[in-house]
Amino acid sequence: MTRSELIESIAKKNPNLLLSDIERIVSVIFSSMTSALAKGDRVEFRGFGVFSIHKRSPRIAQNPRTGDKVKIGNRNIVHFRVGKELHEKMNEN
């Protein structure tokens, strides 16, 4: 689902809201999540999952095109862990 599809979905379920208001709400949510993760905080949605930052150590990688060795420094990556309710929903039989 893309951002625009999310906005459309919310608009269909809430016809009383203006599209511009929905776009603003989605923007605020995403920017708040981004700010929290940039500070190193976790973002948790009960039943959905948790976004957190994991640190990667420096390493030496290889350029797949040229085969040259490349040094990669410390990196922070976003990690998502699925919540229990979403996991159960995805694995229903």
Side-chain angles (χ1 to χ4, degrees), residues 47-48 80 82-93:
F48 181 73
F80 177 72
V82 148
K84 182 180 177 182
E85 289 175 33
L86 178 58
H87 183 272
E88 289 172 354
K89 185 84 169 169
M90 298 301 300
N91 292 298
E92 288 178 346
N93 290 326

Side-chain angles (χ1 to χ4, degrees), residues 19-82:
L19 192 60
S20 60
D21 290 339
I22 295 170
E23 289 173 349
R24 202 169 318 125
I25 290 166
V26 170
S27 291
V28 167
I29 290 170
F30 287 159
S31 83
S32 296
M33 288 174 59
T34 302
S35 297
L37 289 169
K39 289 190 297 186
D41 296 338
R42 296 172 13 128
V43 177
E44 180 176 341
F45 296 104
R46 296 281 169 145
F48 181 73
V50 178
F51 295 90
S52 60
I53 297 295
H54 283 204
K55 297 182 187 298
R56 276 199 172 163
S57 303
R59 62 191 173 98
I60 296 178
Q62 189 172 10
N63 182 332
R65 182 176 291 175
T66 64
D68 294 341
K69 303 278 184 193
V70 179
K71 289 183 181 179
I72 299 177
N74 288 334
R75 297 210 179 234
N76 293 325
I77 59 166
V78 177
H79 175 76
F80 177 72
R81 191 177 79 217
V82 148

